[in-house]
Amino acid sequence: MLALPATWAFTHPVLIGSPNAHIIAGLVGCLDSLAVVDQWRGKGIARALVTDAEQAVSSRPAGKLGSAVLLVTHEPELTDFYAGQGFTVSPDGIGIPTPTGLICHGPTMGFRFSVKPLRTGVQMKPMATPYGRQLVIQDILPLPR
């Protein structure tokens, strides 16, 4: 299992050179790899690993906030598995509203994104954007309303 902050934020065209890249990277935890050996499947190991990833990215060192959401990159056939863990599949990627505009990020071709809020108050809505139907994740950044 590999669970990290959103490292893609550091190379996102809108965020390059911006201090907001660190903020977004910290607020979006990413589960990029999860594998269970064939003979150990069906024993709840993957579920336990997902729970461990949620706890790892949402932990809060003194004075810091943990991730607000966990983003999983996965094969389409695992959509039901992640839905059973409380994740919502994204149609074409994710969008995060920021003071400078909407930051969109999509999965590599052939993969899907599923997202799970890790804090109360985080809302997710599928919305049309210039990049397709994004699952827009609201209320992870303090924005004026």
Side-chain angles (χ1 to χ4, degrees):
M1 174 182 73
L2 180 61
L4 302 165
T7 56
W8 55 263
F10 298 107
T11 57
H12 192 284
V14 174
L15 295 172
I16 289 176
S18 168
N20 292 333
H22 291 284
I23 295 168
I24 297 295
L27 290 172
V28 180
C30 294
L31 178 57
D32 287 327
S33 297
L34 175 68
V36 177
V37 178
D38 285 342
Q39 65 260 30
W40 289 95
R41 290 185 181 166
K43 300 179 187 302
I45 294 170
R47 283 181 169 70
L49 288 170
V50 170
T51 299
D52 285 352
E54 291 171 19
Q55 291 171 352
V57 300
S58 67
S59 64
R60 298 181 179 122
K64 301 217 176 207
L65 292 174
S67 295
V69 295
L70 181 59
L71 170 68
V72 180
T73 303
H74 61 85
E75 294 86 357
E77 59 269 15
L78 294 175
T79 300
D80 290 341
F81 168 77
Y82 286 108
Q85 301 300 304
F87 287 79
T88 300
V89 69
S90 168
D92 296 317
I94 62 166
I96 301 171
T98 72
T100 58
L102 187 67
I103 295 170
C104 295
H105 179 62
T108 305
M109 189 171 295
F111 289 87
R112 291 213 174 131
F113 280 165
S114 288
V115 186
K116 182 176 184 178
L118 300 176
R119 290 190 200 155
T120 57
V122 172
Q123 298 178 29
M124 303 183 306
K125 298 178 189 173
M127 295 174 65
T129 73
Y131 306 101
R133 288 197 51 82
Q134 304 283 313
L135 185 62
V136 176
I137 304 165
Q138 299 176 322
D139 299 323
I140 67 169
L141 291 173
L143 295 174
R145 295 210 178 244

